[in-house]
Amino acid sequence: MKPKVTIVTDSIACLPGELVRQYQLQVVPVNIHFDGKVYRDGVDLTTDEAYRLLEEAPDHFASSPASIAEYLEAYRQAGVHSNGTLCLTLSSKLSTLYNMARLAKEEAEKEAPRRTIEVFDTGTAAGGEGLIVSAAARAAAEGKNLSEVIKAAQAVKSRVRVIGLMETIRHVYRTGRIPKFTAQVGSLLRIKPMFGISAGVVRLAGLTRSKESGMKRVLNMMKKEVGSSTVHVAVSHANAPEEGERLKQLISSQFNCVELWITSFSPVMGYATGKGTLAVAFYSDN
């Protein structure tokens, strides 16, 4: 039996391939620009290849949002599976993807007036966005209608947290979010910044001297939030698979996880945070 709702999202959600295949998700790739060429994130360029390009020549690396045409095609593909489509996007305060998705919705509904498409701003990114997508996809797989699937997404949006740990502060200067002097001093002092996503934007959440102490702080912050409740967790790493796996194992041993997965941090975000970034997204069932 066909689901009532098909889910569309973007490559910044950092979803594991098995989850994409299980729920037949339509993932719209963000565009990566390098040395005069344009690559679709995760389609024309693997994550490992993208990070190699980024390390090779960061000044030649850039990105752009998916186009209206790309979202329109994703809606067409989604329409093959159901009459209802929910598109979940990266925070509208971090990208224009939400606007592109809404403009494409208008075009898609002109093409097929019987279809219903809703665009949902997750207000977050990376694993936080991914966990909201996962919850919506589960609801759709259970046969829930569009309003019920949106309700499931809203419930997670109100609870999900994202905490990240960077290897160095110097790459943040690429985004213009902090003064150059601060970035240079932070790099010299080997400070490892911690960040969170709140109210749709990335904010500094603290500073630590080492990756080890940073991981402990991330775990302690999680414990304060979730206590002994069952928890959903997504771990992401920026070209640091061993550290990412270690963090995942620590979480698995210390929390009652009903959902736990690990993926690569999108190189589009890795451009700003730098290699070695670790990020944890989570929410409790209570």
Side-chain angles (χ1 to χ4, degrees), residues 164-170 172 190-195 204-208:
L165 173 65
M166 287 183 264
E167 187 68 44
T168 172
I169 204 170
R170 64 189 174 91
V172 182
R190 299 189 179 183
I191 290 172
K192 301 188 185 304
M194 298 179 68
F195 65 88
L204 184 69
L207 299 170
T208 184

Side-chain angles (χ1 to χ4, degrees), residues 28-268:
V28 179
V30 174
N31 297 309
I32 292 173
H33 301 254
F34 187 83
D35 203 20
K37 295 181 180 179
V38 181
Y39 305 90
R40 291 170 296 171
D41 182 20
V43 178
D44 305 319
L45 200 64
T46 68
T47 301
D48 289 344
E49 289 169 340
Y51 275 111
R52 280 198 292 272
L53 295 180
L54 180 55
E55 288 187 49
E56 177 186 318
D59 291 340
H60 292 199
F61 192 99
S63 65
S64 65
S67 67
I68 295 171
E70 287 170 302
Y71 269 107
L72 183 56
E73 181 57 28
Y75 294 155
R76 289 172 182 151
Q77 293 298 319
V80 172
H81 303 290
S82 65
N83 288 325
T85 298
L86 177 61
C87 177
L88 301 110
T89 74
L90 167 69
S91 169
S92 60
K93 294 182 180 179
L94 296 174
S95 169
T96 60
L97 282 173
Y98 176 77
N99 292 334
M100 295 296 185
R102 284 194 60 83
L103 291 170
K105 158 188 156 74
E106 294 173 8
E107 293 299 318
E109 290 182 338
K110 289 177 185 175
E111 284 186 359
R114 288 189 174 186
R115 292 190 53 221
T116 303
I117 301 169
E118 294 294 341
V119 181
F120 185 94
D121 180 355
T122 65
T124 186
E129 180 185 356
L131 286 176
I132 296 171
V133 171
S134 178
R138 280 196 302 275
E142 291 167 2
K144 293 182 178 178
N145 62 34
L146 186 54
S147 62
E148 291 171 322
V149 173
I150 292 172
K151 186 176 179 180
Q154 288 171 332
V156 176
K157 178 179 177 178
S158 66
R159 303 200 303 274
V160 73
R161 289 281 309 276
V162 178
I163 304 172
L165 173 65
M166 287 183 264
E167 187 68 44
T168 172
I169 204 170
R170 64 189 174 91
H171 298 298
V172 182
Y173 174 59
R174 293 172 180 161
T175 67
R177 293 185 184 277
I178 61 173
K180 184 176 181 180
F181 175 76
T182 306
Q184 290 174 331
V185 171
S187 180
L188 289 172
L189 295 176
R190 299 189 179 183
I191 290 172
K192 301 188 185 304
M194 298 179 68
F195 65 88
I197 301 177
S198 60
V201 298
V202 180
R203 303 179 189 276
L204 184 69
L207 299 170
T208 184
R209 291 285 185 179
S210 71
K211 224 38 172 318
E212 191 67 28
S213 62
M215 284 190 195
K216 288 179 181 177
R217 286 182 65 180
V218 168
L219 295 172
N220 286 335
M221 292 168 78
M222 286 182 65
K223 287 173 183 174
K224 287 181 181 179
E225 289 280 337
V226 306
S228 59
S229 302
T230 53
V231 64
H232 301 250
V233 187
V235 177
S236 304
H237 65 85
N239 207 22
E242 292 182 2
E243 288 183 327
E245 187 59 38
R246 180 165 177 269
L247 181 55
K248 179 191 171 189
Q249 292 303 323
L250 287 171
I251 291 169
S252 178
S253 66
Q254 296 182 34
F255 296 89
N256 183 10
C257 299
V258 294
E259 179 178 18
L260 173 60
W261 34 269
I262 182 170
T263 60
S264 293
F265 200 54
S266 167
V268 173

